[in-house]
Amino acid sequence: MYALVVLLLMLVLPVGSILTEYFHSEDAVALLPLIGKWLVFWMVGIRLLLTGLRQFFQPSFTAERIFGIESGDALPFVRELGVANFSTGVVGTLSLVAPSFVLPMAIMGALFYGIAGIRHATDTDRNVKQNIAMVSDLYACVVLAIFALLTLWRLS
């Protein structure tokens, strides 16, 4: 189930949203802003909002299944991470109605996912969920960074 949700939020729903809006818009739509809009909404907004809620209300999932920590000592820290992820997710979701949020949230998302992905990659004894998190984090970092760099280059 975890892999399916990650696949939906990181690939299927963003691509579907981009294609739907691009091909069903009556106005000429610039592709780069459209890509950023939907990548940020799904990858940074919805994914981190849902992740934050799960980390806050079910911290043991992240502690045990993602980080491999069996002790309950980590649960308060996972809840704090959940608050940060939820807050970031709210702003990423609001980028749908506040387009000025898209570029800053793409930069933030690229940094967050890049650092998280590298951290996962340094774990020598990863489980399947950690591998899914690592691959999806690095993928999100790359696509969000490409969008941000292209946007900044276009603005200069």
Side-chain angles (χ1 to χ4, degrees), residues 114-146:
I115 293 166
I118 291 167
R119 199 212 60 75
H120 287 300
T122 62
D123 290 340
T124 56
D125 190 28
R126 289 186 305 274
N127 61 35
V128 172
K129 286 183 175 53
Q130 288 170 314
N131 282 326
I132 292 168
M134 177 189 68
V135 170
S136 66
D137 287 353
L138 293 173
Y139 162 76
C141 171
V142 169
V143 298
L144 289 166
I146 289 170

Side-chain angles (χ1 to χ4, degrees), residues 14-145:
V15 170
S17 298
I18 292 163
L19 294 175
T20 299
E21 186 171 343
Y22 185 76
F23 289 114
H24 290 91
S25 177
E26 293 183 16
D27 300 326
V29 178
L31 194 54
L32 186 61
L34 185 65
I35 290 169
K37 169 185 174 178
W38 291 112
L39 290 179
V40 167
F41 176 76
W42 289 111
M43 291 181 171
V44 180
I46 300 300
R47 182 176 180 192
L48 291 180
L49 189 138
L50 294 175
T51 298
L53 287 172
R54 183 162 210 182
Q55 289 167 332
F56 187 80
F57 290 108
Q58 292 180 313
S60 60
F61 176 84
T62 298
E64 294 168 12
R65 296 195 179 135
I66 303 296
F67 293 119
I69 301 170
E70 299 291 327
S71 168
D73 294 344
L75 300 184
F77 297 105
V78 174
R79 281 194 179 97
E80 290 289 326
L81 175 63
V83 171
N85 282 334
F86 176 79
S87 301
T88 302
V90 167
V91 178
T93 302
L94 288 173
S95 71
L96 203 58
V97 295
S100 63
F101 290 7
V102 173
L103 180 58
M105 292 308 295
I107 295 167
M108 189 285 320
L111 291 168
F112 174 80
Y113 284 124
I115 293 166
I118 291 167
R119 199 212 60 75
H120 287 300
T122 62
D123 290 340
T124 56
D125 190 28
R126 289 186 305 274
N127 61 35
V128 172
K129 286 183 175 53
Q130 288 170 314
N131 282 326
I132 292 168
M134 177 189 68
V135 170
S136 66
D137 287 353
L138 293 173
Y139 162 76
C141 171
V142 169
V143 298
L144 289 166

